[in-house]
Amino acid sequence: MSNDGESGVTASETRADWPKLTVIAFMYMAQTFPAGFAAGLMPTLYREQGLALEKFWLFSLAIIPYWVRWAIAPVVDSYWSPRIGPRRSWFIPCTFIAVLAYMSLALFEPTEAYLFIIVGILFVKSMFTATQEVAIDAYVVDNVTKSERPTAAAMNTVFEAAGQFAALAGLAIVYDRFGWQVAVCVSALLMLVFITPAFFRKERVDKAQLQRAQEAREGGAAALIQPLVRFFRRRDSYIIIPFVLAGGLYTGLMFPMVGPFLIDLGFGVGEIGAMVGTVLLAATVLGSLSSARLVGRLGERRLMFVLMVAIIPATLPVAYLAFTKAAISAPVAILVTFLPFFVLSMFYVTFVNLRLGYASALQAGTDYSIGSAISRIGQTIAAAIGGFIAAWSGWAGFFLVAALFGIGAMWLCWFTHARLQRLIEERNHSEQAGAAPAGIGEPALN
């Protein structure tokens, strides 16, 4: 378990456990293959076939199961096998079921006639990957120490980018050469391959964790609801919720729409997969390294201010390109799309780092999963409105609106950071002391 709640930091806590961090990074990479293929490449395929931008909201339906992560998290925290491990008990079976559900997409070609069936399959698949993600997020919060958080956030972001690169570039080539069925099956199998190391890494289970799970099981439904009530009654949550929602809106708006934008510029699916994959990988690696370094030097609040200043000039080149609709080469398209993704990557790494610090040690899995669910709601809203924004304002307007969403999320973090950190410190102190001051903690439900 993480020792973040202790007052002192031992020498062992300051050394990164690289095998553990690598396994965690692989777990996040595993989740990216199906998600990158479905969220990044599928809208591109449908745009190539002429699907109207106003219908792109349909892809957002597949994200809805992630909204109820907050309801899944207490169950994941409370019901598990001590022999298998609290988190492996969930993400192992969910992975296999999700792989089977995802491979069933191979039965239906990605045409408009099968759009509702494909979205329905993705919806079912998301029910299991949402539970899988709850378990993985809880595993991360349980096992990553405070000193490892910046490294873990950067590694996770880089490995997610590597997964997106493989999903967009590699699978786009597989799709071009071998077709839809092979591409879907390869994506699902890659998910299974990269999460397999976590199947064999034994989890630590301490007495306190066993006791909390036992108390929750004995307490029935009231005990399962209590962590949710506790989160929504804390004062820090009233700052965390709008920031996480705004972060989800910003991060969810850009990614699905870049491929359709490049389709409208005349590029092919294979070219777009390679281009967008390259942009994401380069922007994420450089953004992660830059963010991890600048957080240490400037702190999260100052870094958010720097990103607020940088986001508009980073977005103007791609907005100008969209406005002029000039014929361009692939290298130019890569360069102009790289800049906004670089800023987005720096924001996302800082966003993940902050969210790891928001979770309470008493209910880490629940807190982080509620935050993830709220972020997913933001991403769903972004996916639903992205096509309408592009159709209404044109692609130039779309990218400028996306930048404004980013400024809003960054401003919220900059404006509330000091107060939020004070509330979190008070909350952590009250939890360590075993008594909660008014407005921070709350009595147990009867």
Side-chain angles (χ1 to χ4, degrees), residues 308-354:
M308 270 195 292
V309 174
I311 189 170
I312 291 297
T315 305
L316 285 177
V318 70
Y320 176 78
L321 172 64
F323 179 76
T324 60
K325 300 179 182 178
I328 58 169
S329 63
V332 174
I334 288 173
L335 177 62
V336 296
T337 54
F338 168 82
L339 296 173
F341 272 114
F342 177 69
V343 175
L344 175 63
S345 173
M346 292 187 68
F347 169 82
Y348 184 68
V349 173
T350 310
F351 181 65
V352 173
N353 184 44
L354 285 166

Side-chain angles (χ1 to χ4, degrees), residues 47-96:
R47 184 59 176 170
E48 184 187 42
Q49 297 179 28
L51 184 69
L53 290 170
E54 291 86 350
K55 293 184 179 180
F56 272 48
W57 67 271
L58 290 167
F59 296 114
S60 69
L61 298 177
I63 312 175
I64 290 177
Y66 292 93
W67 292 17
V68 296
R69 289 175 54 135
W70 54 269
I72 300 170
V75 179
V76 171
D77 276 343
S78 303
Y79 293 90
W80 40 270
S81 165
R83 185 174 62 86
I84 299 174
R87 310 311 177 189
R88 291 193 306 165
S89 295
W90 287 94
F91 68 69
I92 289 176
C94 285
T95 296
F96 284 105

Side-chain angles (χ1 to χ4, degrees), residues 117-160:
I117 295 176
I118 288 175
V119 170
I121 292 173
L122 290 174
F123 183 94
V124 173
K125 185 263 315 177
S126 294
M127 294 171 62
F128 295 98
T129 52
T131 306
Q132 178 202 53
E133 286 191 12
V134 169
I136 290 174
D137 288 344
Y139 182 93
V140 173
V141 178
D142 283 348
N143 290 277
V144 173
T145 64
K146 185 174 183 179
S147 63
E148 291 174 331
R149 283 178 193 161
T151 303
M155 284 185 66
N156 290 347
T157 307
V158 169
F159 274 72
E160 283 181 353

Side-chain angles (χ1 to χ4, degrees), residues 2-252:
S2 170
N3 294 321
D4 296 346
E6 296 176 4
S7 58
V9 179
T10 66
S12 62
E13 289 175 313
T14 62
R15 292 194 298 267
D17 183 345
W18 291 107
K20 174 187 69 181
L21 293 176
T22 302
V23 168
I24 289 173
F26 279 155
M27 293 164 76
Y28 279 104
M29 187 175 182
Q31 294 175 339
T32 308
F33 291 116
F37 188 72
L41 200 55
M42 196 173 294
T44 304
L45 300 179
Y46 271 97
R47 184 59 176 170
E48 184 187 42
Q49 297 179 28
L51 184 69
L53 290 170
E54 291 86 350
K55 293 184 179 180
F56 272 48
W57 67 271
L58 290 167
F59 296 114
S60 69
L61 298 177
I63 312 175
I64 290 177
Y66 292 93
W67 292 17
V68 296
R69 289 175 54 135
W70 54 269
I72 300 170
V75 179
V76 171
D77 276 343
S78 303
Y79 293 90
W80 40 270
S81 165
R83 185 174 62 86
I84 299 174
R87 310 311 177 189
R88 291 193 306 165
S89 295
W90 287 94
F91 68 69
I92 289 176
C94 285
T95 296
F96 284 105
I97 297 173
V99 166
L100 291 175
Y102 195 81
M103 291 179 73
S104 69
L105 288 172
L107 300 174
F108 305 95
E109 288 291 333
T111 61
E112 191 165 352
Y114 292 119
L115 178 58
F116 284 96
I117 295 176
I118 288 175
V119 170
I121 292 173
L122 290 174
F123 183 94
V124 173
K125 185 263 315 177
S126 294
M127 294 171 62
F128 295 98
T129 52
T131 306
Q132 178 202 53
E133 286 191 12
V134 169
I136 290 174
D137 288 344
Y139 182 93
V140 173
V141 178
D142 283 348
N143 290 277
V144 173
T145 64
K146 185 174 183 179
S147 63
E148 291 174 331
R149 283 178 193 161
T151 303
M155 284 185 66
N156 290 347
T157 307
V158 169
F159 274 72
E160 283 181 353
Q164 288 170 345
F165 177 79
L168 294 172
L171 292 175
I173 294 172
V174 172
Y175 170 80
D176 270 350
R177 294 187 178 181
F178 302 104
W180 167 256
Q181 289 82 4
V182 175
V184 169
C185 292
V186 169
S187 178
L189 290 175
L190 285 174
M191 173 186 178
L192 182 60
V193 167
F194 275 88
I195 204 172
T196 296
F199 292 172
F200 300 99
R201 183 177 176 86
K202 189 174 182 181
E203 292 184 71
R204 287 180 56 190
V205 182
D206 60 30
K207 292 182 179 179
Q209 198 173 18
L210 284 167
Q211 182 179 354
R212 286 197 298 269
Q214 182 64 29
E215 289 173 353
R217 289 193 291 268
E218 292 175 352
L224 294 177
I225 295 172
Q226 181 179 341
L228 307 177
V229 176
R230 184 181 294 118
F231 174 87
F232 286 104
R233 289 181 62 181
R234 292 198 313 248
R235 285 190 295 175
D236 56 281
S237 296
Y238 292 101
I239 300 175
I240 293 170
I241 289 171
F243 169 62
V244 173
L245 180 65
L249 279 165
Y250 173 43
T251 58

